[in-house]
Amino acid sequence: AAVNGPRSVVVSGDAVAVEEVAAHFRALDRKVTGLRVSHAFHSPLMEPMLADFRAVAESLTYDRPRIPVVSTLTGEAATAEQLMSAEHWVEHVRRPVRFADGVRSLAEQGVTRHVELGPDGTLTALAQSTVDDADDRLFVPVLRTDRPETHSVLWAAAELFTRGAALDWTALFTGRPSASTKAAADLPTYAFQRRRFWPSATAVPAQGLGAVGLGSAEHPLLGAAVELAGGDGEVLLTGRLSPAVQG
């Protein structure tokens, strides 16, 4: 029914036949998970409804797509004629979903940022497992089941923005501010007061080091001498060179 990745395939059809396939892979110690769905989608069991579905699809009015679309029916870029054809969507019900091929097709076209529009990050995980250089690409689910919607959407927007995506901030912050959404705030336009707060070079005179347990080096360029703890007579000499001190 679907090829979602190199290690993720969905089998659909008659329950007895599907269980035989599942038992085969369980015996090979492969992970097998049953999906709770209402129908055996993308299998021959969908054929009795295709005629009615085609009638509905043919009654619709299709506009030319405004953005490029990679179809999971073919795993390749779809033409406008395909997407405006009722037959394309009828075939979607019956034929397998080639999700992995679609992700690879996007990668071949140079797409590096992937956004999942859905209730969770399931497809994001599948897409990451499909390409070899996933670490060099961005995969972002807009919503997560374990996080508040506002937090998830803003997190996704931040991830995209920091990776060079152009965002419509006006659309993002449209609406009245509430406890969970904040309006964009204008930053001050005045120039910052460029004042320096570095300590003065004469704030700690060299001769004052004795107050912290350092002995005088009795040298015009060296301010203090400290005998190292090794006991071999080694001494650490410190000093400060500046016109204010040596002048």
Side-chain angles (χ1 to χ4, degrees):
V3 180
N4 292 327
R7 295 179 178 273
S8 179
V9 176
V10 179
V11 177
S12 178
D14 179 78
V16 175
V18 170
E19 180 54 35
E20 290 179 359
V21 175
H24 170 78
F25 285 102
R26 287 195 193 98
L28 297 177
D29 199 26
R30 299 292 190 268
K31 181 181 179 180
V32 178
T33 302
L35 302 180
R36 287 180 289 182
V37 293
S38 59
H39 296 78
F41 299 109
H42 308 289
S43 81
L45 296 183
M46 300 302 298
E47 291 179 359
M49 57 82 65
L50 292 183
D52 291 339
F53 186 84
R54 179 179 287 101
V56 174
E58 290 176 346
S59 69
L60 302 178
T61 300
Y62 298 89
D63 289 334
R64 296 186 69 85
R66 291 176 292 176
I67 61 175
V69 175
V70 171
S71 172
T72 54
L73 177 62
T74 62
E76 301 175 349
T79 65
E81 289 69 25
Q82 285 177 310
L83 297 178
M84 297 170 63
S85 166
E87 191 63 29
H88 180 85
W89 305 106
V90 173
E91 288 292 303
H92 245 302
V93 178
R94 172 63 179 86
R95 291 172 55 183
V97 177
R98 298 175 60 179
F99 178 78
D101 289 337
V103 173
R104 295 190 186 98
S105 178
L106 290 173
E108 292 172 356
Q109 296 179 41
V111 176
T112 58
R113 296 190 293 259
H114 306 260
V115 181
E116 178 177 354
L117 303 179
D120 202 1
T122 302
L123 298 181
T124 295
L126 294 173
Q128 287 176 311
S129 67
T130 300
V131 294
D132 297 330
D133 55 347
D135 293 340
D136 299 328
R137 302 175 182 275
L138 179 63
F139 298 87
V140 179
V142 172
L143 297 178
R144 299 294 298 268
T145 57
D146 57 346
R147 301 177 189 176
E149 289 186 0
T150 301
H151 179 274
S152 297
V153 171
L154 293 179
W155 174 83
E159 288 287 320
L160 289 166
F161 180 72
T162 56
R163 293 290 289 269
L167 301 183
D168 185 348
W169 295 105
T170 302
L172 184 64
F173 289 105
T174 295
R176 298 179 59 185
S178 64
S180 58
T181 59
K182 303 297 182 182
D186 292 330
L187 294 176
T189 58
Y190 63 82
F192 289 98
Q193 298 175 352
R194 294 178 173 84
R195 299 176 57 192
R196 294 175 58 87
F197 293 93
W198 289 102
S200 173
T202 59
V204 182
Q207 59 269 23
L209 295 177
V212 294
L214 301 178
S216 174
E218 299 181 356
H219 188 279
L221 298 180
L222 300 176
V226 180
E227 186 175 353
L228 299 181
D232 296 332
E234 295 183 357
V235 176
L236 174 65
L237 302 173
T238 61
R240 175 179 298 157
L241 300 178
S242 74
V245 175
Q246 275 72 39

